Amino acid sequence: MATLRNNFRMLRAVRTLGLAGAVVFAACLGYGQTTNSCLDCHSAMPDPLGVSQDKFSQDIHAQKGLSCTSCHGGDASSYDPSVSMGAKAGFKGKIDRRQVPQLCAGCHSNPAYMKQYDPGLRTDQLDQYHTSMHGKRLAAGDSKVAVCIDCHSVHDIRPPSDPRSTVNPVNIATTCSRCHSDAAYMKPYGIPTDQFANYKTSVHYQAMMVRGDLSAPTCTTCHGNHGATPPGVDKVQNVCANCHVFQAQMYEKSTHSKAFQSLGLPGCVVCHSNHGIHLPSDAMLGTGPQGVCMRCHQPGDKCDQARAAIQNGLMHLDGAITHADQTLSVAESSGMDVSEARLAQSQAKDELIKARVTIHTYQQALVDQDVQAGLKIAAKDEQAGKDAMIERDQRRIGLGICFFAIAIMLVGLWLFIRKIER
Amino acid sequence: MISAIYHWLDERLHLDGLIAPFRHKTVPVHRLTYWYFFGGITLFLFGVQVITGILLLLYYNAGANEAFESVQYIMTKVRYGWLIRSIHSWSANLMILTAFLHMFSVLFLKAYRKPRELTWVSGMLLLFLVMGFGFSGYLLPWNTLAFFATKVGTAMVGQVPIVGQPIMIFLRGGPQVTGATLIRFFGFHVAVLPGLVVILIAIHLFLVQRLGMSVPPKIEEEWIENPSARRDMKFFPNFMLREMMAWYVAIGVLGALAAIFPWNLGVKADPFGSAPAGIKPEWYFLFMFQTLKIIPSKVWFIDGEVLGVLGCGLVALLWLLLPFFDSMPPSRPKRWITGLAIFALMYVTGMSVYGYLAK
């Protein structure tokens, strides 16, 4: 028993010596620098207590002069754990998840304080958070929901403008998906977990990740960030209208707006879906697998007839533009200048885009106006291409006549030379 | 009718005295006589350039905001504008080609030897001016390719130590290629260069007339051995009529090129846009461009580009003074010049092809 006690003493002594050694070693490493006993020790520790110097140096707070004690309290100038992590120094230790929003808000909701770092920075994040689904659930005692550090990370928080930040537009969907695509984690909430998978097939994802358009929508664009919540069924069009202004205006005045509202259908989402929004095509007006109208309408009814007429009009204009393009390309490859018609072709394409937007009025006559305007331009361009080809042929006929005349001149000269040299 | 007018004029102006030297002028006839035609064809194409250039001036507007549109107008709206502009562009290229052929034919036929050194010098200066015509005229439609080719070309001049930068700024009308450069190049193209070329053509033709046509040394030796083999034809009308046949062929070629391959206008220059990938100069500058490209960025302690530009300048100067290195008697010229000419021809052709194919 005594031997066992002695062995424990020995172990304690070795541990104390080891810790002291680590502290001295860490202190030596930090010699000449500002003392930060927290990092000196924690950088030598394994996870979850480990925080490397390198990691923390990437943190915007560290770069702005804040230190560990700004959040965790304590005294970073002392290497004595009883002092540095003592109650006297106000040491808070690990922050409870439920306290994180309040802790961050201590600074971030203080306009006077935040102004010194960035006068343009918002300070309503906590208020917004309280309105969010995350905030409401947290208040209800659910500590599994996202708090500040789940999205912004911890100890290496970067500004959103940094492409490596977890809340940079290109990373937001991945950040949200860490929880929202985890079926086991989301099971208690009974909500789908395929949002990210669907989003990755969407035109918005293509714009963001393939074309690199940082203004393209990601999760927070529609759901909000700190006040993240699903838009209400009747408010979906307001969300989409932030970017798709004309479509929304036309939809609001349309018969579909009232019908969808009365049926409790979520506006734009009915035809375009939500997370997996694909590039719209004229086939959406068709009766094939991509068609959306016939999900509600009956074949042969008045609306079906209008649908068919609108789709035919659009396809007719699209075909006319393509054909005019081909004619102009042939003329161009023959060396003819058709730049004016080419310029006009862009107007015809604009009319097609306009007509596709006008669909949201669901009025055949209005769509037809744009289609007819586009067809008129396309027909003119087609004619310009044909005229250019006629002119090309005329030039070649002229060339043949010139060749004939030159040949006669050459023969005449040759005969004349022979005559004078005979 | 024509002879009546001629007699009327001759009575007053004594035209016979003026024309007499042409009547007495002869052209040696031998197996290489056809090379003599290239000088005349080049002169004819220059005439085509003058006429079509004047016609283009009726509609062309020099200025960064108008130049492209005015050429587009010429190509699409002006009656036969496409023909005039296409002939002007194709004729410019053919003129440079025939000028090069003429230069190499003179070189291989040893026509530069004493007493024709000054004919060679005036001809070489004309070749440089013709290339200057090409460089200045290329910018005038103010399209993307021309804009960046001018940017690169003038930047090369800027590489010359001490005088390079001032010359570049003079050429550009400022530190960058802008509308001011276009106005300046237009001035060079339609006033300065034509003036200089007309003077040099006059000198060149006077020297050709004064010194007569050169006979290649080998044929000359054959004729000395066998004087009865020597044959000549009258310049006027015999040679002139043959030359006219060549001009008609040139008109046919120009017409065919203009009708089948109208000169492309391209896209309007955007000074703030980025240079198109793989941009290259016109074919007649391609051998120099490719030479500069293959020179390493540093050769010993000298900047590769500076070395390349200075090297090209030195070679051009030596080429201009080539007859003065050929000091042997006319009948026994140094063989190394023939070797050099073969090397130069192969180098220019090879580098041009390499430059054309290179990415």
Side-chain angles (χ1 to χ4, degrees):
Chain A
M1 191 66 188
T3 317
L4 199 64
R5 203 162 37 235
N6 279 341
N7 279 349
F8 271 124
R9 274 186 196 147
M10 278 286 279
L11 273 172
R12 266 207 301 272
V14 166
R15 192 189 67 182
T16 312
L17 270 172
L19 267 175
V23 168
V24 170
F25 177 69
C28 288
L29 283 178
Y31 179 74
Q33 297 172 10
T34 312
T35 306
N36 187 338
S37 62
C38 315
L39 268 182
D40 290 343
C41 294
H42 281 269
S43 59
M45 289 181 184
D47 278 339
L49 289 174
V51 179
S52 72
Q53 179 78 48
D54 182 47
K55 184 180 179 182
F56 189 59
S57 68
Q58 304 287 320
D59 195 296
I60 182 73
H61 301 100
Q63 288 165 7
K64 296 288 180 189
L66 300 178
S67 75
C68 313
T69 57
S70 307
C71 297
H72 296 281
D75 181 1
S77 65
S78 171
Y79 283 97
D80 180 352
S82 64
V83 176
S84 60
M85 296 191 285
K88 209 172 166 186
F91 182 65
K92 296 174 194 165
K94 187 177 189 303
I95 311 295
D96 185 87
R97 281 180 64 75
R98 287 165 294 187
Q99 302 303 317
V100 168
Q102 282 298 341
L103 179 78
C104 297
C107 297
H108 281 273
S109 292
N110 182 346
Y113 179 78
M114 292 309 293
K115 207 173 272 182
Q116 62 182 316
Y117 297 107
D118 182 356
L121 211 62
R122 292 178 66 155
T123 52
D124 62 346
Q125 294 94 334
L126 184 65
D127 291 339
Q128 291 249 359
Y129 182 73
H130 287 323
T131 68
S132 76
M133 198 55 81
H134 298 139
K136 284 175 186 167
R137 286 194 172 272
L138 187 76
D142 181 359
S143 61
K144 277 179 72 182
V145 293
V147 295
C148 313
I149 56 170
D150 294 308
C151 302
H152 290 276
S153 88
V154 65
H155 299 136
D156 61 347
I157 300 171
R158 294 182 170 94
S161 56
D162 187 329
R164 295 166 300 173
S165 164
T166 48
V167 290
N168 181 270
V170 294
N171 299 323
I172 282 177
T174 311
T175 300
C176 298
S177 74
R178 286 209 307 260
C179 298
H180 283 274
S181 293
D182 185 336
Y185 196 80
M186 299 309 290
K187 199 176 177 186
Y189 303 105
I191 57 173
T193 52
D194 59 354
Q195 300 95 328
F196 186 51
N198 285 334
Y199 175 69
K200 281 171 94 169
T201 68
S202 75
V203 68
H204 293 145
Y205 178 84
Q206 289 286 315
M208 171 79 76
M209 302 307 289
V210 179
R211 295 213 314 267
D213 179 358
L214 297 183
S215 68
T218 181
C219 312
T220 53
T221 317
C222 303
H223 294 278
N225 41 24
H226 302 103
T229 188
V233 164
D234 56 340
K235 299 292 184 291
V236 169
Q237 59 269 27
N238 295 345
V239 173
C240 302
N242 281 324
C243 302
H244 302 280
V245 181
F246 295 117
Q247 287 91 332
Q249 283 174 358
M250 288 170 181
Y251 170 78
E252 283 292 339
K253 291 176 191 165
S254 76
T255 47
H256 278 84
S257 172
K258 292 181 195 88
F260 286 3
Q261 266 179 11
S262 64
L263 291 168
L265 292 171
C268 315
V269 172
V270 175
C271 301
H272 293 281
S273 129
N274 46 14
H275 301 105
I277 298 171
H278 295 157
L279 189 70
S281 72
D282 297 340
M284 286 174 76
L285 290 165
T287 51
Q290 291 178 55
V292 292
C293 306
M294 303 315 286
R295 289 183 201 158
C296 302
H297 294 283
Q298 294 301 313
D301 69 7
K302 203 174 87 180
C303 300
D304 182 30
Q305 286 167 13
R307 170 205 64 75
I310 290 174
Q311 191 195 21
N312 285 340
L314 291 175
M315 286 168 71
H316 187 195
L317 177 56
D318 195 21
I321 290 171
T322 308
H323 200 265
D325 266 340
Q326 286 166 352
T327 310
L328 292 173
S329 295
V330 172
E332 268 174 346
S333 65
S334 303
M336 304 304 293
D337 191 316
V338 286
S339 48
E340 255 182 59
R342 274 271 181 238
L343 195 66
Q345 271 294 86
S346 60
Q347 288 172 6
K349 285 168 191 169
D350 286 348
E351 289 296 340
L352 179 60
I353 293 169
K354 212 170 137 193
R356 283 171 174 159
V357 172
T358 312
I359 289 170
H360 296 91
T361 60
Y362 308 99
Q363 289 185 42
Q364 188 196 333
L366 292 176
V367 178
D368 206 40
Q369 270 180 16
D370 297 333
V371 168
Q372 290 306 322
L375 281 172
K376 209 172 158 186
I377 299 167
K380 212 172 154 188
D381 296 342
E382 173 86 29
Q383 192 55 45
K386 284 178 180 167
D387 289 347
M389 295 305 289
I390 292 168
E391 197 191 328
R392 183 203 67 168
D393 294 341
Q394 285 172 347
R395 287 179 187 185
R396 292 186 180 179
I397 292 167
L399 178 67
I401 295 167
C402 282
F403 274 161
F404 184 68
I406 287 169
I408 289 174
M409 284 305 295
L410 287 174
V411 170
L413 280 169
W414 183 65
L415 290 173
F416 185 67
I417 291 167
R418 278 191 63 179
K419 188 185 162 192
I420 59 172
E421 288 182 355
R422 194 172 292 158
Chain B
M1 174 74 177
I2 294 168
S3 61
I5 293 169
Y6 179 79
H7 283 301
W8 189 89
L9 286 170
D10 189 39
E11 263 181 15
R12 285 154 184 83
L13 304 171
H14 306 291
L15 290 179
D16 266 344
L18 278 172
I19 293 168
F22 292 100
R23 285 199 172 141
H24 298 136
K25 183 178 165 65
T26 57
V27 177
V29 178
H30 49 78
R31 59 182 176 272
L32 299 170
T33 300
Y34 55 87
W35 286 109
Y36 294 145
F37 289 107
F38 280 98
I41 295 172
T42 309
L43 183 63
F44 170 73
L45 292 172
F46 179 72
V48 171
Q49 287 302 96
V50 172
I51 294 164
T52 52
I54 290 169
L55 291 174
L56 288 174
L57 272 178
L58 300 178
Y59 290 95
Y60 178 75
N61 281 327
N65 295 326
E66 305 93 22
F68 182 86
E69 283 76 9
S70 69
V71 179
Q72 197 171 40
Y73 185 78
I74 289 168
M75 289 294 283
T76 54
K77 302 283 182 211
V78 178
R79 190 178 285 263
Y80 297 113
W82 64 273
L83 184 66
I84 301 299
R85 191 208 163 216
S86 295
I87 285 182
H88 191 76
S89 302
W90 276 115
S91 174
N93 281 270
L94 285 183
M95 180 172 72
I96 293 169
L97 178 69
T98 55
F100 266 102
L101 288 173
H102 183 50
M103 184 268 286
F104 275 110
S105 71
V106 167
L107 198 59
F108 283 115
L109 300 180
K110 309 278 180 200
Y112 56 84
R113 291 164 301 146
K114 189 180 173 185
R116 296 183 179 82
E117 296 97 328
L118 290 177
T119 318
W120 168 268
V121 171
S122 62
M124 278 305 296
L125 291 175
L126 276 169
L127 180 66
F128 295 149
L129 287 177
V130 160
M131 289 172 84
F133 261 118
F135 187 62
S136 57
Y138 192 53
L139 180 68
L140 300 190
W142 199 246
N143 60 32
T144 305
L145 282 178
F147 177 83
F148 286 104
T150 306
K151 208 170 174 178
V152 174
T154 48
M156 279 178 185
V157 177
Q159 295 291 326
V160 178
I162 306 167
V163 294
Q165 280 295 320
I167 292 175
M168 187 190 81
I169 288 171
F170 168 72
L171 286 174
R172 288 181 172 181
Q176 297 296 330
V177 176
T178 60
T181 319
L182 179 62
I183 303 280
R184 213 157 265 223
F185 272 42
F186 178 64
F188 295 146
H189 194 75
V190 302
V192 180
L193 292 173
L196 291 173
V197 164
V198 166
I199 294 167
L200 276 167
I201 286 177
I203 294 170
H204 196 70
L205 291 180
F206 167 76
L207 290 170
V208 171
Q209 173 64 31
R210 185 80 182 159
L211 302 171
M213 308 292 255
S214 160
V215 178
K218 210 170 177 184
I219 292 167
E220 209 168 30
E221 279 173 25
E222 287 170 16
W223 285 355
I224 290 167
E225 279 175 25
N226 181 17
S228 64
R230 184 186 178 96
R231 285 194 299 126
D232 291 290
M233 75 165 89
K234 279 185 173 179
F235 177 80
F236 192 84
N238 303 50
F239 185 81
M240 197 61 211
L241 286 169
R242 285 178 170 82
E243 184 79 54
M244 276 174 72
M245 287 178 76
W247 293 357
Y248 271 109
V249 171
I251 290 176
V253 170
L254 279 177
L257 288 170
I260 300 168
F261 307 108
W263 201 262
N264 189 16
L265 179 56
V267 178
K268 188 176 178 175
D270 176 9
F272 300 108
S274 52
I279 189 165
K280 286 171 191 171
E282 283 285 79
W283 63 269
Y284 40 89
F285 290 118
L286 213 49
F287 71 97
M288 280 190 269
F289 177 74
Q290 197 58 26
T291 304
L292 291 172
K293 261 178 86 176
I294 59 171
I295 295 174
S297 57
K298 275 274 178 211
V299 180
W300 195 25
F301 65 92
I302 308 167
D303 188 90
E305 222 168 295
V306 174
L307 188 74
V309 172
L310 287 177
C312 286
L314 185 66
V315 168
L317 181 67
L318 294 176
W319 211 250
L320 179 73
L321 302 174
L322 196 70
F324 303 103
F325 299 110
D326 194 349
S327 55
M328 296 297 280
S331 56
R332 297 186 63 197
K334 279 185 177 175
R335 281 184 183 277
W336 67 266
I337 288 192
T338 307
L340 189 70
I342 293 169
F343 173 76
L345 183 61
M346 285 171 65
Y347 184 83
V348 169
T349 312
M351 273 296 179
S352 299
V353 173
Y354 179 33
Y356 179 76
L357 297 175
K359 283 180 183 172

